[in-house]
Amino acid sequence: MTIPVSLIEEAINWRRQLHARPELGYQEHQTSRMVAEQLRAFGLQVHTGLAGTGVVGTLENGPGPVIGLRADMDALPMTELGNPPHKSNHPGVMHACGHDGHTAILLATAKLLSQTRRFSGTLHFVFQPAEENLGGARKMVEDGLFTLFPMDAIYGLHNWPGLPIGAVAVNSGVMMASLDSFEITLTGKSCHAAMPESGADPIVTAAELIMALQTIPARRLSPLASAVVSITQINGGEAINVIPEQVKLRGTVRCLQSEVRTKVRGLIDEFVTTLPTPFDVEGTINWYPGYPVTKNHPQPAINVREAAISALGEDALRWEVNPSMASEDFGCMLEACPGAYFWIGADGDTPSRPLHNAWYDFNDAIIEQGIGIWLRLVERLLALK
């Protein structure tokens, strides 16, 4: 199916509008309204309100399979440093991960398929809020996404700096790591900095604990297991001549295997409660709900592979690549429904800025390719009889 140039231009315009007015997770009110209005204009049935700002557009065309295509909509709490004509006009918020592009690609796909109807079955176009750290996918599932809209499978894409334009990466299993966040509180006894023996120092304890936690992936796990433990914040102390009563550490854990995830959490708990004891300091930890491993189901992954080859050619395919230690809440959807998640290359003549970089801007040149893969996937799975 040929993609009209006018549609690609319209999708680029949507993308740049979204980039100029980014919204944080669960605050995507303008974005949600724009998506819903467009879907209704295409003639789709539209459901709003899942996870607050989520939108589902349904396109039926006779009997057949039912599949979902998903795009994320939220931006990040970052100040944009680049200066494109469509630069963010919301201070401290920017689309630094390409969700503006993902949304535009899916909208354009919905528009074209609503016009051509070259498929037999039902399509659910799922526009998800709050992918960035807030678990919008889990919330959509909890709000009844797959109960209200039963699906045979669901699929998601993400632009990927580091892969060239024209490349698609997909695995039959794990694509991205799990994510868990934690806050450790170390409580000692404050005292004068000149008389540390009269207190119990949580800062020294924090230093020892941080280094000890790094031995978990290095010495407590098999070299074949994959885990990253990162302390990203240290907060404690008020006066330069006072050893504080408390220090708080915050960080994340990322793993590629569910069993490793469970083991690492247990080991961190053990370190936090036992290591501070000789320092006369008490350690406690609070865990925050994270994302599961993003693990593709084998047959849906093969479906993506074949669609990518059909759309872009055999040379485009990167099959069974190294997973990323970054995380993606699409894994919550894959726990509830079969499906697959894949990356589409973003590097043109010059490499793309990394994701979550203040100079990043989505590469509009891949919009046509994204639409093309979605079309080939629909044609493959919902073939006209």
Side-chain angles (χ1 to χ4, degrees):
M1 185 189 306
T2 302
I3 304 170
V5 173
S6 59
L7 179 63
I8 297 167
E9 292 174 347
E10 188 172 22
I12 291 172
N13 184 52
W14 289 333
R15 203 285 294 181
R16 295 182 179 182
Q17 288 179 31
L18 292 169
H19 190 93
R21 56 183 197 219
E23 296 172 298
L24 297 176
Y26 297 124
Q27 300 174 34
E28 308 95 338
H29 302 293
Q30 278 187 298
T31 303
S32 179
R33 281 195 298 271
M34 177 266 203
V35 166
E37 288 169 3
Q38 292 292 341
L39 294 174
R40 290 190 184 100
F42 306 157
L44 275 66
Q45 304 167 44
V46 177
H47 182 102
T48 60
L50 283 180
T53 49
V55 181
V56 179
T58 299
L59 182 61
E60 299 177 349
N61 197 47
V66 181
I67 66 169
L69 308 179
R70 172 267 202 175
D72 35 19
M73 300 187 295
D74 57 322
L76 283 155
M78 297 172 58
T79 297
E80 184 166 10
L81 296 182
N83 196 33
H86 47 276
K87 183 175 181 176
S88 169
N89 56 29
H90 293 175
V93 185
M94 73 169 289
H95 272 294
C97 203
H99 298 182
D100 49 346
H102 306 161
T103 297
I105 288 170
L106 195 56
L107 273 177
T109 304
K111 181 173 184 177
L112 187 55
L113 286 168
S114 72
Q115 295 169 342
T116 63
R117 295 183 174 267
R118 288 179 51 182
F119 67 95
S120 181
T122 300
L123 293 169
H124 296 301
F125 298 90
V126 179
F127 294 85
Q128 179 208 309
E131 188 278 326
E132 299 290 356
N133 298 318
L134 295 174
R138 177 181 285 112
K139 181 61 174 169
M140 288 194 87
V141 173
E142 291 172 348
D143 282 0
L145 174 63
F146 297 116
T147 303
L148 294 168
F149 308 99
M151 303 178 200
D152 298 313
I154 189 164
Y155 297 86
L157 67 73
H158 205 293
N159 79 99
W160 205 252
L163 281 178
I165 287 179
V168 172
V170 62
N171 295 339
S172 61
V174 175
M175 285 295 295
M176 302 185 77
S178 63
L179 168 65
D180 290 298
S181 302
F182 57 81
E183 180 180 81
I184 298 167
T185 301
L186 298 172
T187 304
K189 180 182 177 182
S190 63
C191 63
H192 198 293
M195 293 169 277
E197 74 281 1
S198 64
D201 192 340
I203 289 183
V204 169
T205 309
E208 293 283 348
L209 180 60
I210 290 168
M211 297 308 296
L213 292 178
Q214 299 312 304
T215 69
I216 291 175
R219 288 295 178 267
R220 300 298 299 274
L221 300 179
S222 164
L224 301 178
S226 299
V228 175
V229 180
S230 295
I231 300 295
T232 57
Q233 295 181 22
I234 307 174
N235 295 287
E238 296 175 293
I240 198 169
N241 60 345
V242 175
I243 291 173
E245 188 85 5
Q246 267 191 358
V247 170
K248 290 186 182 289
L249 309 176
R250 297 185 180 94
T252 64
V253 177
R254 299 169 191 268
C255 305
L256 292 179
Q257 300 90 13
S258 296
E259 63 274 15
V260 172
R261 181 188 189 192
T262 301
K263 182 175 181 178
V264 170
R265 285 188 54 158
L267 288 169
I268 291 175
D269 287 343
E270 183 180 343
F271 272 101
V272 169
T273 56
T274 62
L275 184 144
T277 302
F279 298 91
D280 202 21
V281 170
E282 180 186 14
T284 59
I285 184 168
N286 287 320
W287 288 95
Y288 300 98
Y291 298 165
V293 175
T294 300
K295 185 176 182 179
N296 287 341
H297 296 249
Q299 185 56 53
I302 291 171
N303 295 338
V304 171
R305 181 182 71 182
E306 298 306 313
I309 291 172
S310 177
L312 302 176
E314 190 83 41
D315 292 342
L317 183 67
R318 307 291 192 273
W319 178 247
E320 306 295 21
V321 298
N322 289 330
S324 171
M325 295 306 294
S327 304
E328 160 65 62
D329 77 344
F330 191 68
C332 299
M333 292 189 180
L334 293 179
E335 284 190 327
C337 179
Y341 178 84
F342 61 97
W343 303 329
I344 180 168
D347 286 355
D349 294 335
T350 58
S352 167
R353 298 281 187 168
L355 301 176
H356 293 213
N357 179 281
W359 296 88
Y360 169 88
D361 189 19
F362 184 86
N363 189 340
D364 289 330
I366 68 174
I367 285 178
E368 181 177 6
Q369 296 174 353
I371 299 169
I373 295 169
W374 283 145
L375 293 177
R376 296 299 187 275
L377 185 67
V378 170
E379 290 171 357
R380 173 181 172 80
L381 300 178
L382 281 67
L384 287 169
K385 304 301 182 184

